[in-house]
Amino acid sequence: MNQGSYPLKPMSSEDSSDFIDLDALLAAARRQVRLVGLFGLIGLILGVVYLVATPPQYTSGTRILLDDSLTRFAEDKPAPPAGPQADAMVSSEVEILKSSRLARAVVLAEKLQDNEAFLNPPRSPLSSLKATVKGIAGFFSSQPEGDAGSIQDAKIGRAIGILQDGVHAERVGRSFVIDLSFTAPDPKLAGTIARAYANAYLSDHLDANFDATQRATVWLQGRLDELRENSQKAALEVEQFRTANGLTAARGELMSEQQLSDLNKQVILAQADTANALARYNQFKTIVDSGPENAVKNATIPQEKGASGNNSAAINDMKARYLSVSKREQDISSRFGQDHAQAVALRTEQANLTNQIYAELQRLTESYRNEYQVAKSREDSLRGNVGDLAGQNSQTGQAQVKLRDLEQKSQALNTLYQAFLARYEQAAQQRSFPIAEARVISTAGNPTSASSPRKTMVLGLSLVLGLFAGAAAGAVQEFRERFFRTGDDVRDALDLNFLGYLPAIGGRFADARPRTQPVDAQATGSSGPETVTPRILRVAINQPASSFAETLRNVKLASDVVLHRTNGKVIGFVSVLPREGKTTTAANFAGLLAANGARTLLIDADLRNPGLSRGLSLTPDKGLVEALVGEQRWQSACLVDRKTKLVILPAVVRRRLSHTSELISGPAMAALLEEARKSFDYVVVDLPPLGPVVDAKAFAPLADGFVLVAEWGATPRLLVRSALQADRQIASKTLGVVLNRTDMKKLASYGMFGAAEQYLDRYASYYVEQTVVEPESNRTEPA
């Protein structure tokens, strides 16, 4: 691995690139199981509280069948509706049961407006709260005082509202049965009201049917008289118009129409005869026009009936003789020559037959021409008669249109009168048989057990809702998770090498950290305490077999591998945010190197906030700043830990410095590091964080590599990625990332199935962990 082997990924939305698979979901469930369980317990407790505080409710139910067969013996009714019509009919009856009119009838029948148990039942806490809010709102709203009648109406209205809130009606499946129930705190009251509702519904059906038929009968009576008069008047107008216009009819048609129909038939027959005669004439004319020779040779004479048929037969006989003579002439000419006397005689006979046939064809053609002319004259005569008769009937047709209009009006009025007469008779019959089209098939009784609240359902629902709320809260926490938790997060977000986890350091700090008077740095080599670093900075030294020290060894291995050709390696420790434990990590790394025999120099280069120097057991009076400005040599400002031989160059800041970046990146710092490379194997530099200041970015050209420290579960991934993309030189020299203050107990829950985090318990036998104290000053260190 070289310094440029880990380029950064381009900026992208993690939410759009990450794919949550089953393993991720299971890991998230393991992490949030306590939260989900807590919410489930809260929901269960709330359910118990609800059950204790809510008064029981009792439900009494009855079932009503919509059965129109009860009136079929008295009425001729069509088949009951089916499909959507049946659904609409049953839904309408359900709404009638829920109506305020029916509720008012029940209130008045049972005198519920005066029943205090009904008007003021025991309430649940939620209902009491609603009632209190309404009471407060009513107190501020001005209501005029009314008389006794208005007060009674208000009580009735309140009772109707309570009754409608407690009643429930719905259709049973796809049947014509309606399930009606009422819920009340008193079981006897619930049964009474349910039965009263059923009785009121049946009475309402009877009253509605009787009132409807009564109103229909009265209205139909008046309408029938009017329709009878209008129908008679329309029939009289038809007969008067028919007589005035002479529109007499025979066999259902007018005489003029019958004559016109007969003439049309004759015209059609005459047209057919004319076409037939013309076809025969054209056929024979074509034969005659071809000449005698062609007429005899090519003519096909059809067989006709009558005289024409006999003529055609004679022509065919002559043609047969002609063919026979022609055959004999050809035979004689071939055997004896054309000049033979018999051949000459046969040719003469052949010529005579030709003339006879042609003459007969001319005669037939002329006779067919005469037949065509006769047929044509007859057709023209008939067409003329049809035109004359049609002209005569034009006026009759106009009168007939008016007659049809009058007949249709008369027929419509007569039909309407017959229909209304039938409906009037039917309404009269229905009025005499007031039978309801519904019946009670299940009578309401007084309930013996409470219908609500249902303990099992309430507890189960409370538990489920609590679990769902916990799952939602856990999901919100998971979706808000934007921090580093595992090495995969580091590799995926930064594409950098992951160097390991540093466990969180807890407990109370028992190791006193005395503050001595400022001492001369040169004197520290011969006298003073054995160590100048506090216990928090010596975890890796005091616990060399811990996982904390093992992670720092991995950092050393990474630096040795990448910087194996570099003498006097300069390694900077940086973080993005303050108080991420960068200083603690750098000091423990340097102490581990020194304890292993490597010549190590630890420089506190955080001149804005030198947390490392403030945490030392001794208070130095000179440090890095004095060495960089040339007030003294840097070697004389160093402190030496006599136990590990770690050399520390502190930073003494007596006033606020604004040019710290120029100090740690200038020629003096470069010369200091160049001298240190010759005397030390490792130069560990504790640098300021990347976020607030640019000191680390300015120091980047002088460093051989960087170790990025991020706090586990606290440092946003996007912030680190943005910082490294802004500081490309630091990113290219970053050896890897260390996750500090890791909660090792929770770490396993963030690892995917099969990841190394799932097997941390198996690694425990290789580590010897001890309780390490982190003082409050170091836990909140600005570095």
Side-chain angles (χ1 to χ4, degrees):
M1 172 179 173
N2 51 41
Q3 294 180 358
S5 61
Y6 292 102
L8 291 178
K9 290 183 178 180
M11 293 284 290
S12 62
S13 176
E14 296 183 26
D15 293 335
S16 61
S17 61
D18 292 345
F19 177 75
I20 300 179
D21 56 7
L22 183 59
D23 291 339
L25 290 176
L26 292 176
R30 288 197 304 269
R31 291 191 294 271
Q32 305 298 333
V33 64
R34 292 186 178 180
L35 180 63
V36 174
L38 177 61
F39 271 84
L41 180 60
I42 293 175
L44 198 60
I45 293 174
L46 292 178
V48 173
V49 172
Y50 174 80
L51 291 175
V52 172
T54 302
Q57 299 289 323
Y58 297 88
T59 301
S60 178
T62 182
R63 289 194 172 188
I64 301 173
L65 172 64
L66 305 179
D67 188 5
D68 59 353
S69 62
L70 300 175
T71 58
R72 287 184 183 177
F73 71 94
E75 304 176 23
D76 186 12
K77 299 188 64 175
Q85 294 182 354
D87 295 341
M89 185 267 290
V90 178
S91 299
S92 300
E93 296 301 324
V94 169
E95 293 303 319
I96 291 175
L97 284 168
K98 296 178 181 178
S99 65
S100 60
R101 182 171 62 88
L102 198 62
R104 183 181 183 87
V106 174
V107 168
L108 297 177
E110 299 297 326
K111 298 181 179 180
L112 298 178
Q113 72 274 15
D114 300 325
N115 191 334
E116 289 298 325
F118 175 78
L119 294 176
N120 298 302
R123 300 178 180 272
S124 63
L126 182 60
S127 300
S128 300
L129 179 61
K130 291 182 178 179
T132 303
V133 173
K134 290 182 179 179
I136 295 174
F139 177 77
F140 288 102
S141 62
S142 60
Q143 296 181 354
E145 297 182 359
D147 53 8
S150 61
I151 295 175
Q152 185 68 12
D153 291 339
K155 294 177 67 176
I156 293 175
R158 181 186 175 192
I160 291 174
I162 296 174
L163 191 62
Q164 286 184 301
D165 291 339
V167 73
H168 178 72
E170 64 178 358
R171 183 181 183 182
V172 180
R174 304 292 296 176
S175 65
F176 287 86
V177 177
I178 299 177
D179 186 16
L180 176 68
S181 61
F182 183 78
T183 302
D186 184 8
K188 184 178 179 180
L189 181 62
T192 301
I193 293 178
R195 291 188 292 271
Y197 241 105
N199 295 331
Y201 175 73
L202 296 180
S203 299
D204 182 74
H205 249 260
L206 290 175
D207 296 340
N209 291 339
F210 183 80
D211 292 342
T213 54
Q214 180 68 22
R215 288 192 298 268
T217 302
V218 174
W219 181 82
L220 286 172
Q221 180 64 50
R223 184 62 175 158
L224 278 174
D225 296 338
E226 181 183 355
L227 288 175
R228 184 187 302 109
E229 181 180 353
N230 292 337
S231 177
Q232 293 175 355
K233 183 178 179 181
L236 182 60
E237 289 180 358
V238 171
E239 294 302 327
Q240 290 176 350
F241 185 83
R242 189 191 304 275
T243 303
N245 291 273
L247 299 176
T248 58
R251 294 178 297 176
E253 296 181 350
L254 297 176
M255 297 297 294
S256 57
E257 292 180 350
Q258 293 182 5
Q259 293 175 3
L260 185 59
S261 177
D262 294 340
L263 283 175
N264 283 330
K265 294 179 181 178
Q266 293 178 14
V267 168
I268 293 173
L269 293 176
Q271 185 178 1
D273 293 341
T274 302
N276 191 16
L278 179 60
R280 289 197 299 268
Y281 168 68
N282 289 334
Q283 182 181 10
F284 279 90
K285 188 176 183 299
T286 302
I287 295 172
V288 171
D289 291 342
S290 65
E293 293 294 334
N294 293 329
V296 173
K297 293 179 180 180
N298 300 324
T300 302
I301 307 302
Q303 297 291 334
E304 299 287 345
K305 296 180 180 180
S308 298
N310 295 334
N311 293 332
S312 297
I315 292 174
N316 289 332
D317 291 341
M318 288 186 289
K319 187 173 181 181
R321 290 170 55 196
Y322 174 81
L323 295 175
S324 177
V325 171
S326 297
K327 185 177 181 182
R328 288 172 59 194
E329 188 274 332
Q330 291 176 1
D331 185 37
I332 296 299
S333 297
S334 62
R335 292 174 62 185
F336 303 105
Q338 294 184 357
D339 296 333
H340 191 275
Q342 190 176 0
V344 173
L346 290 173
R347 281 196 292 274
T348 301
E349 183 179 3
Q350 184 179 6
N352 292 333
L353 289 172
T354 299
N355 293 330
Q356 293 176 10
I357 293 172
Y358 186 70
E360 184 65 23
L361 288 174
Q362 286 179 330
R363 189 183 65 77
L364 284 174
T365 302
E366 186 64 22
S367 66
Y368 285 139
R369 186 178 67 81
N370 294 334
E371 290 180 7
Y372 166 69
Q373 291 178 351
V374 171
K376 181 64 175 174
S377 298
R378 182 173 178 270
E379 179 186 354
D380 293 340
S381 176
L382 290 173
R383 288 186 182 276
N385 294 335
V386 169
D388 295 340
L389 188 57
Q392 295 175 3
N393 289 341
S394 60
Q395 296 179 353
T396 305
Q398 295 177 0
Q400 190 177 4
V401 171
K402 179 64 175 177
L403 177 62
R404 288 198 187 99
D405 182 55
L406 293 174
E407 289 177 343
Q408 291 175 356
K409 181 179 179 181
S410 176
Q411 184 179 2
L413 288 173
N414 184 56
T415 303
L416 189 61
Y417 171 73
Q418 296 295 333
F420 271 79
L421 181 60
R423 292 174 64 182
Y424 173 77
E425 295 295 337
Q426 182 180 5
Q429 293 296 328
Q430 290 179 358
R431 183 176 57 178
S432 61
F433 292 97
I435 301 176
E437 297 180 354
R439 57 191 175 94
V440 176
I441 61 175
S442 178
T443 304
N446 297 334
T448 57
S449 59
S451 59
S452 66
R454 299 178 181 177
K455 297 180 180 180
T456 304
M457 186 182 71
V458 170
L459 294 178
L461 184 60
S462 301
L463 178 60
V464 170
L465 291 178
L467 294 177
F468 272 115
V476 171
Q477 288 190 0
E478 290 295 326
F479 282 118
R480 292 180 66 251
E481 178 63 45
R482 296 293 183 270
F483 311 110
F484 291 107
R485 296 290 186 177
T486 64
D488 291 335
D489 295 340
V490 173
R491 287 183 284 267
D492 293 340
L494 307 178
D495 201 14
L496 292 175
N497 190 19
F498 176 64
L499 300 179
Y501 302 99
L502 292 176
I505 303 174
R508 297 189 57 85
F509 187 50
D511 189 8
R513 186 181 52 168
R515 279 288 182 179
T516 64
Q517 297 294 327
V519 297
D520 188 359
Q522 293 179 351
T524 60
S526 57
S527 63
E530 185 179 2
T531 63
V532 296
T533 56
R535 187 177 178 184
I536 188 66
L537 303 180
R538 300 173 59 86
V539 176
I541 300 173
N542 298 334
Q543 302 179 29
S546 64
S547 59
F548 188 95
E550 193 66 23
T551 298
L552 296 180
R553 291 190 187 95
N554 191 38
V555 176
K556 175 182 180 300
L557 179 62
S559 62
D560 292 342
V561 171
V562 177
L563 306 175
H564 63 280
R565 297 181 179 178
T566 303
N567 295 324
K569 304 174 182 64
V570 177
I571 303 174
F573 278 74
V574 294
S575 64
V576 176
L577 297 175
R579 300 181 182 89
E580 292 191 80
K582 152 187 69 67
T583 299
T584 302
T585 305
N588 277 276
F589 177 70
L592 183 65
L593 294 175
N596 291 335
R599 296 173 300 171
T600 306
L601 172 64
L602 175 60
I603 301 177
D604 186 359
D606 191 352
L607 303 182
R608 303 284 186 98
N609 207 350
L612 174 63
S613 300
R614 285 197 296 265
L616 298 177
S617 301
L618 299 176
T619 303
D621 57 350
K622 297 179 181 179
L624 179 62
V625 177
E626 289 75 13
L628 295 178
V629 297
E631 292 182 1
Q632 68 177 22
R633 298 181 66 252
W634 64 271
Q635 291 88 347
S636 61
C638 292
L639 301 176
V640 179
D641 189 285
R642 290 188 296 173
K643 186 174 182 180
T644 61
K645 307 302 180 183
L646 173 65
V647 179
I648 302 174
L649 179 57
V652 180
V653 180
R654 296 182 176 86
R655 58 186 176 86
R656 196 74 174 177
L657 299 176
S658 60
H659 57 289
T660 55
S661 59
E662 288 82 358
L663 286 176
I664 65 173
S665 63
M669 188 67 177
L672 186 154
L673 293 177
E674 189 63 28
E675 293 181 8
R677 290 177 187 273
K678 299 176 181 179
S679 303
F680 297 94
D681 299 322
Y682 297 92
V683 177
V684 180
V685 183
D686 180 21
L687 294 168
L690 299 175
V693 293
V694 298
D695 294 14
K697 184 176 181 179
F699 182 78
L702 304 179
D704 298 322
F706 290 93
V707 175
L708 178 63
V709 179
E711 185 174 355
W712 184 87
T715 305
R717 287 173 280 185
L718 183 61
L719 179 63
V720 176
R721 185 165 57 188
S722 300
L724 292 180
Q725 285 181 340
D727 299 333
R728 288 290 181 178
Q729 192 172 13
I730 293 179
S732 63
K733 291 184 178 183
T734 300
L735 303 176
V737 179
V738 174
L739 293 182
N740 189 32
R741 296 174 183 164
T742 303
D743 189 339
M744 303 305 290
K745 295 181 179 179
K746 295 182 179 180
L747 179 60
S749 63
Y750 287 92
M752 303 296 290
F753 180 77
E757 291 80 7
Q758 297 289 324
Y759 303 95
L760 293 177
D761 54 342
R762 300 191 181 184
Y763 303 160
S765 60
Y766 287 86
Y767 303 130
V768 179
E769 304 286 355
Q770 297 179 5
T771 302
V772 182
V773 181
E774 181 179 359
E776 189 66 26
S777 60
N778 282 280
R779 253 189 290 225
T780 59
E781 58 175 329

